[in-house]
């Protein structure tokens, strides 16, 4: 294969077949934590945080180490990015040293800028617009509990809550790539950007899936294979909790709403959760919840993604499967 520099900036950076390949690789890493070690050396991977994190920080730090590499974890407050060094200059420096760059930041334009100037793979570890690593972990969790990666195509998934946030956008695009029937429901004023819905509809049609955007939580959940939610206030919006949360109460995932999904439906939440708000404790701690497996799958999915991306960069087909 011809070497090619690939990045993971938004969920539709992978085709249907490529997403399957990454998820199959993730299943292998779940069985054997040390399945491949593409960063043996150890080679350094920069993991940068402009926003707080528990899961992403631990899964990328431990994941890079398990891939044989050295995770260089940089926080905004302790770096020159924090005082405004241009992204392009940061990229030019890191790319001379690191074999990969993982970044959690604000605007999507920032990760795009990083990718433009880096000559190693760049991974979006959450922006205001997308959270593609979370979607890979969530779909790996579906594969784990619902009959493997091939079973994803044709599944119905429902996301409730802030339908204009990064998770909603990523379910739309990632689910469309997977060929799922994706339903997102939120109140007026918190529905996804029509441009993202249009992209999702086009991709879903190519892969046999469909997209439904609605303000009716029951319509979204009816007969779903999995119900997802996320916080009603994303990082940076916490001070607005009281005002922002008001229109979201009808979208709380509780036992009544879960009862409308398939009897064997799963519940997932990217975490951290506000218990008693977007989800009741009875659901998140209940028998349909797989949130701890979902969190663990961040590790396996991201190791698979990094391995797959460096496989492309090096033209090494053995790293793709
Ligand atoms: N789900 C997720 O990205 O969690 P963290 O914010 O803890 O990384
Ligand atoms: N929508 C949330 C996701 C956290 C993992 C946020 O951006 O804060």
């Amino acid at each position: 294969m011809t070497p090619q520099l690939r990045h993971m900036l938004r969920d539709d950076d992978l085709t249907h077949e490529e997403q399957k390949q990454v998820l199959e690789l993730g299943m292998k890493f779940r069985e054997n934590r040390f399945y491949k070690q593409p960063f043996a050396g150890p080679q350094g991977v920069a993991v940068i945080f402009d926003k707080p994190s528990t899961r992403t920080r631990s899964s990328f730090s431990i994941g890079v180490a398990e891939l044989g590499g050295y995770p260089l974890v940089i926080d905004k407050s302790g770096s020159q990015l924090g005082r405004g060094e241009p992204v392009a200059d940061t990229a030019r420096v890191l790319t001379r040293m690191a074999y990969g760059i993982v970044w959690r930041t604000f605007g999507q334009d920032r990760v795009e800028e990083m990718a433009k100037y880096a000559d190693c793979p760049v991974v979006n570890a959450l922006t205001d617009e997308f959270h593609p690593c979370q979607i890979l972990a969530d779909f790996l969790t579906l594969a784990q509990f619902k009959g493997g990666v091939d079973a994803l195509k044709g599944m119905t998934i429902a996301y409730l809550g802030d339908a204009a946030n990064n998770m909603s956008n990523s379910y739309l695009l990632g689910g469309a790539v997977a060929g799922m029937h994706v339903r997102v429901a939120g109140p007026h004023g918190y529905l996804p950007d029509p441009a993202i819905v249009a992209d999702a509809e086009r991709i879903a049609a190519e892969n046999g899936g469909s997209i439904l955007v609605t303000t009716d939580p029951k319509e979204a959940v009816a007969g779903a294979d999995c119900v997802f939610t996320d916080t009603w206030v994303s990082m940076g919006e916490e001070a607005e909790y009281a005002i922002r949360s008001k229109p979201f109460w009808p979208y709380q995932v509780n036992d009544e709403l879960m009862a409308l999904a398939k009897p064997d439906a799963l519940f997932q939440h990217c975490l951290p959760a506000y218990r008693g708000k977007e989800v009741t404790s009875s659901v998140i701690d209940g028998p349909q919840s797989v949130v701890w497996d979902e969190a663990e799958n961040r590790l396996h999915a991201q190791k698979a993604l990094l391995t797959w991306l460096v496989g492309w960069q090096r033209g090494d087909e053995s790293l793709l499967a």
Side-chain angles (χ1 to χ4, degrees):
M1 66 190 273
T2 313
Q4 196 183 324
L5 180 58
R6 301 282 301 260
H7 306 290
M8 184 62 171
L9 305 183
R10 42 185 272 169
D11 306 80
D12 55 351
D13 283 345
L14 299 178
T15 65
H16 179 77
E17 288 306 323
E18 290 172 348
Q19 187 195 62
K20 279 178 74 173
Q21 212 172 18
V22 171
L23 292 172
E24 291 289 5
L25 197 50
M27 296 287 262
K28 291 189 183 144
F29 274 112
R30 246 170 38 76
E31 281 158 29
N32 174 7
R33 295 266 288 253
F34 302 95
Y35 176 59
K36 304 241 184 234
Q37 294 209 300
F39 295 125
Q43 297 173 352
V45 176
V47 187
I48 314 166
F49 291 96
D50 292 351
K51 293 179 179 175
S53 168
T54 296
R55 279 142 289 268
T56 308
R57 185 186 300 265
S58 48
S59 54
F60 271 112
S61 305
I62 292 168
V64 167
E66 290 183 354
L67 294 174
Y70 169 76
L72 172 68
V73 180
I74 303 172
D75 270 314
K76 181 186 169 184
S77 58
S79 78
Q80 304 292 9
L81 265 173
R83 75 127 194 88
E85 183 171 14
V87 173
D89 292 356
T90 307
R92 290 179 177 113
V93 172
L94 290 178
T95 205
R96 297 286 181 104
M97 305 178 201
Y99 288 76
I101 298 171
V102 176
W103 193 13
R104 165 168 290 192
T105 189
F106 296 88
Q108 183 72 10
D109 56 320
R110 288 167 66 77
V111 288
E112 280 165 13
E113 179 93 343
M114 184 73 89
K116 189 170 158 194
Y117 290 95
D119 58 19
C120 59
V122 174
V123 173
N124 175 357
L126 181 146
T127 58
D128 294 342
E129 286 87 354
F130 300 105
H131 196 1
C133 292
Q134 183 71 54
I135 265 48
L136 288 175
D138 292 10
F139 289 3
L140 189 59
T141 310
L142 288 177
Q144 178 185 350
F145 287 97
K146 292 285 179 195
V149 174
D150 286 334
L152 297 184
K153 190 176 162 80
M155 263 186 200
T156 298
I157 63 168
Y159 168 81
L160 303 187
D162 182 356
N165 76 4
N166 42 17
M167 289 304 302
S168 177
N169 291 338
S170 277
Y171 286 121
L172 285 167
L173 290 186
V177 169
M180 293 174 174
H181 302 293
V182 185
R183 303 169 180 173
V184 306
H188 288 293
Y190 298 93
L191 294 173
D193 179 346
I196 292 173
V197 177
D199 284 348
E201 283 172 342
R202 174 180 48 77
I203 299 165
E206 285 164 14
N207 297 316
S210 64
I211 302 294
L212 173 74
V213 176
T214 176
T215 54
D216 180 353
K218 293 182 179 157
E219 185 188 15
V221 167
D225 294 286
C226 187
V227 178
F228 298 86
T229 190
D230 181 20
T231 173
W232 295 337
V233 291
S234 285
M235 285 179 267
E237 300 168 343
E238 291 85 351
E240 304 162 38
Y241 200 99
I243 295 170
R244 267 186 73 95
S245 61
K246 277 191 188 138
F248 289 110
W249 285 104
Y251 304 86
Q252 181 192 60
V253 181
N254 50 34
D255 293 317
E256 292 77 53
L257 215 51
M258 277 306 289
L260 302 176
K262 283 199 181 135
D264 63 349
L266 299 177
F267 170 75
Q268 297 196 52
H269 188 312
C270 63
L271 305 176
Y274 287 70
R275 285 163 180 263
K277 305 281 205 264
E278 73 270 11
V279 60
T280 58
S281 289
S282 61
V283 170
I284 198 169
D285 295 328
Q288 288 167 284
S289 171
V290 287
V291 296
W292 314 121
D293 299 279
E294 177 187 10
E296 179 190 325
N297 280 328
R298 295 292 302 278
L299 176 71
H300 311 308
Q302 290 160 192
K303 284 166 68 184
L305 176 65
L306 286 171
T307 302
W308 190 89
L309 290 171
V310 297
W312 268 104
Q313 188 192 7
R314 296 172 192 174
D316 181 351
E317 212 154 342
S318 75
L319 292 177
L320 304 187

